[in-house]
Amino acid sequence: MTTIAVMQPYFFPYGGYYRLLAAADVFVILDCVQFPRRGRVHRCALPGAGRWITLPLDPAPRDSLISAMRLAPDAASRLWPQCRKLPGPLPADTPLRRQVLDLLQTPEGPLVPYLERSLRIVAEALDFGCRICRGSDLDLPAALNAQERILDIVRRQGGTRYLNAPGGTALYDRAVFSRAGIDLNFLPPYTGKHPCFLPALFERTVAELRADIVEG
């Protein structure tokens, strides 16, 4: 059984997001959909109500796809000062932390490769063996609705099982997936310790972070 997970790319998302990478054989970055301007694609939540680190982006039309977005030319000078919002020091005492610090200090170019790099850094450090690819590389028909798009992605990746985050239960029809020969599954709600994962990268060990994701 080949498990496929599909999700928009988030900027250092909550711990529960990474469960998709931990459980899937293939993780598809859904960047071929409209960029959500108030979502988590370019914003990372911090502890405390309404506290975020936001990636500075180039202006773009409202209907732009995620794959078309670019970081602003002055993103580095605008992003790093925001990192002072992170609690405590930012040690560079492990390979994972050094990679995260380098990423935070060097935002440039198209948005999706930058976000993909952030996901790969964590997935590789925590030993999640999934293959990561982009929806924009699959030449999906633009007219597909949300459910049809997911089914097409799963078929193209040779999947027999589709795994979705818990918030998507109202989006998909289990009978439709079954007729397509695909087992539809949803993760249970995340109950781990790190709804804000970026600070945890500097406060917890790799073993602790992995356990939180796998068990939470």
Side-chain angles (χ1 to χ4, degrees):
M1 180 174 288
T2 300
T3 300
I4 313 297
V6 183
M7 191 74 171
Q8 293 180 8
Y10 285 2
F11 179 47
F12 289 109
Y14 61 100
Y17 179 109
Y18 292 102
R19 294 181 301 164
L20 292 170
L21 288 94
D25 298 300
V26 181
F27 180 84
V28 180
I29 294 171
L30 189 64
D31 62 342
C32 50
V33 296
Q34 185 173 339
F35 170 70
R37 296 183 177 273
R38 295 191 62 82
R40 289 177 176 254
V41 169
H42 67 310
R43 302 195 305 163
C44 170
L46 298 179
R51 300 183 69 240
W52 301 86
I53 291 177
T54 302
L55 290 172
L57 301 178
D58 260 350
R62 183 164 294 277
D63 59 353
S64 294
L65 301 182
I66 296 172
S67 59
M69 303 300 295
R70 295 185 61 87
L71 291 153
D74 61 348
S77 63
R78 293 165 58 189
L79 176 62
W80 184 245
Q82 294 185 62
C83 295
R84 299 194 187 102
K85 300 177 186 177
L86 288 165
L90 304 180
D93 55 348
T94 69
L96 171 59
R97 291 168 180 170
R98 286 192 292 273
Q99 290 182 79
V100 172
L101 283 172
D102 179 68
L103 188 81
L104 294 174
Q105 292 170 340
T106 58
E108 59 183 10
L111 175 62
V112 171
Y114 183 82
L115 296 176
E116 180 178 342
R117 182 181 162 200
S118 73
L119 292 173
R120 287 184 181 276
I121 286 172
V122 174
E124 291 171 7
L126 274 56
D127 197 27
F128 300 150
C130 66
R131 178 169 63 86
I132 298 175
C133 60
R134 302 178 197 170
S136 58
D137 290 335
L138 301 179
D139 295 322
L140 300 170
L144 294 177
N145 65 32
Q147 179 167 265
E148 291 169 342
R149 182 183 297 114
I150 294 299
L151 286 167
D152 198 13
I153 290 173
V154 175
R155 291 191 194 100
R156 288 168 184 253
Q157 297 300 319
T160 53
R161 179 173 181 259
Y162 174 63
L163 182 64
N164 200 81
T169 53
L171 298 176
Y172 305 116
D173 186 331
R174 191 175 298 276
V176 172
F177 276 77
S178 180
R179 287 195 295 270
I182 297 169
D183 184 23
L184 175 63
N185 288 261
F186 294 92
L187 289 170
Y190 172 69
T191 58
K193 302 175 182 177
H194 304 305
C196 302
F197 205 74
L198 181 56
L201 292 171
F202 295 100
E203 298 167 350
R204 304 296 179 186
T205 67
V206 165
E208 289 172 327
L209 294 172
R210 178 180 168 82
D212 177 80
I213 292 169
V214 172
E215 299 168 8

